[in-house]
């Protein structure tokens, strides 16, 4: 992939994005993300139209360790601005901070009519375990070795 300048060759990027394997992964991750936000009384977008027409990466994955809403928003915007399919992963114990930030952004949208949530909702939001489970499901279906986590002490 490094040979191709995907940010300059939009047609190639669109071709890669249309592969069944990529679509299956994207759809599965998006369904889990939508469930996550619904569980916190946030309405997910009905359809997602990605806004980055010249991304640097197909998937932009931020593994989040922030809880400060300002930093979280910045990390969301970073993933959205650099990739076609932005994914934000949270350790389980940090996940509620993300939901609070999204609730705050919906309040800003509703009260102030500033559509920040309409930008932030482009990102797929998962816990680390949810992401690993989805990737392992696909790897297992292909007969490939799954991702294992070992706790070292």
């Amino acid at each position: 992939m490094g040979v191709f300048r995907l940010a300059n060759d939009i047609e190639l990027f669109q071709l890669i994005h249309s592969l069944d394997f990529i679509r299956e992964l994207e759809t599965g991750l998006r369904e889990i993300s939508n469930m996550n936000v619904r569980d916190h009384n946030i309405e997910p977008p009905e359809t997602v139209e990605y806004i980055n027409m010249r991304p640097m990466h197909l998937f932009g994955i931020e593994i989040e360790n922030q809880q400060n809403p300002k930093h979280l928003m910045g990390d969301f915007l970073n993933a959205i601005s650099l990739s076609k399919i932005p994914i934000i992963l949270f350790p389980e114990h940090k996940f509620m901070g993300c939901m609070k930030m999204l609730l705050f952004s919906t309040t800003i949208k509703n009260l102030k009519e500033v559509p920040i949530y309409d930008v932030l909702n482009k990102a797929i939001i998962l816990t680390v375990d949810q992401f690993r489970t989805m990737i392992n499901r696909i790897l297992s279906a292909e007969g490939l070795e799954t991702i294992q986590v070992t706790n070292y002490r």
Side-chain angles (χ1 to χ4, degrees):
M1 295 299 289
V3 174
F4 301 105
R5 299 191 48 82
L6 294 179
N8 295 329
D9 192 345
I10 295 171
E11 290 177 16
L12 177 61
F13 207 98
Q14 290 172 340
L15 180 65
I16 294 168
H17 187 222
S18 69
L19 295 173
D20 289 341
F21 169 78
I22 298 297
R23 290 292 186 176
E24 177 186 338
L25 177 59
E26 178 185 9
T27 299
L29 294 173
R30 178 62 66 185
E31 287 172 359
I32 297 167
S33 178
N34 288 347
M35 179 189 65
N36 286 339
V37 295
R38 274 192 201 99
D39 286 348
H40 291 87
N41 297 317
I42 302 170
E43 194 58 39
E46 288 183 30
T47 60
V48 174
E49 292 183 28
Y50 295 113
I51 56 179
N52 192 341
M53 296 303 132
R54 293 193 179 276
M56 297 299 295
H57 313 283
L58 181 58
F59 291 96
I61 302 173
E62 290 271 348
I63 301 174
E64 198 51 66
N65 202 23
Q66 300 285 335
Q67 285 191 331
N68 177 311
K70 182 174 110 175
H71 289 108
L72 286 174
M73 283 186 187
D75 289 343
F76 268 68
L77 293 175
N78 186 43
I80 291 166
S81 66
L82 293 176
S83 63
K84 181 76 171 177
I85 305 168
I87 301 171
I88 313 291
L89 302 179
F90 287 86
E92 283 67 18
H93 68 283
K94 302 274 184 171
F95 195 69
M96 197 57 205
C98 170
M99 292 300 119
K100 287 179 182 177
M101 184 270 300
L102 290 175
L103 285 166
F104 177 68
S105 73
T106 60
T107 301
I108 291 171
K109 177 184 175 183
N110 295 333
L111 294 179
K112 301 275 190 175
E113 298 181 12
V114 177
I116 188 67
Y117 178 70
D118 295 340
V119 174
L120 300 178
N121 72 16
K122 307 298 186 222
I124 292 172
I125 304 157
L126 307 168
T127 66
V128 172
D129 284 341
Q130 289 172 330
F131 182 74
R132 185 176 40 248
T133 298
M134 182 65 180
I135 296 298
N136 280 344
R137 188 176 308 141
I138 290 170
L139 292 172
S140 181
E142 295 297 321
L144 300 170
E145 188 174 334
T146 59
I147 300 168
Q148 303 298 317
V149 176
T150 305
N151 291 327
Y152 294 98
R153 293 189 185 220

